[in-house]
Amino acid sequence: MAKTENIETRALDRLLSRCFDGGERLQRELRLTPGQAEALAADYPADVHPLGGGWYDITFREAFSYGG
C-alpha cells in the first residue's frame, strides 16, 4: 500500500507543479478525484473548495521561493 501511495503522491506533485507553473500561479480550478482533493488539502498549504462535477477551486496560501 505504501508504494501505491508514493506513486499517487508523486503523480499529484507533478500535476500541481505543471498546473501551477512551478509556483508561479497560486490559484486555479482543477478536475481531481476526491482522493486527490483530500490529499491536496491535507498535505499542501492550500484551500481546496469543491465546485461540482469533480472540479475544485485551489488556492495556495504561500509559495516557495529559492534564493533571494
Side-chain angles (χ1 to χ4, degrees):
M1 183 71 129
K3 185 175 183 177
T4 301
E5 289 173 4
N6 269 346
I7 291 168
E8 291 173 5
T9 299
R10 287 194 309 265
L12 182 57
D13 288 343
R14 285 191 306 273
L15 173 68
L16 294 174
S17 182
R18 273 195 326 266
C19 292
F20 287 90
D21 297 326
E24 297 282 322
R25 295 185 62 159
L26 296 179
Q27 190 278 332
R28 74 180 300 157
E29 295 173 2
L30 291 179
R31 190 168 198 157
L32 303 170
T33 66
Q36 288 173 317
E38 185 178 313
L40 190 133
D43 298 337
Y44 294 87
D47 296 317
V48 181
H49 300 283
L51 300 172
W55 287 92
Y56 294 84
D57 179 66
I58 300 156
T59 303
F60 278 88
R61 296 186 293 270
E62 59 188 64
F64 292 109
S65 131
Y66 297 100

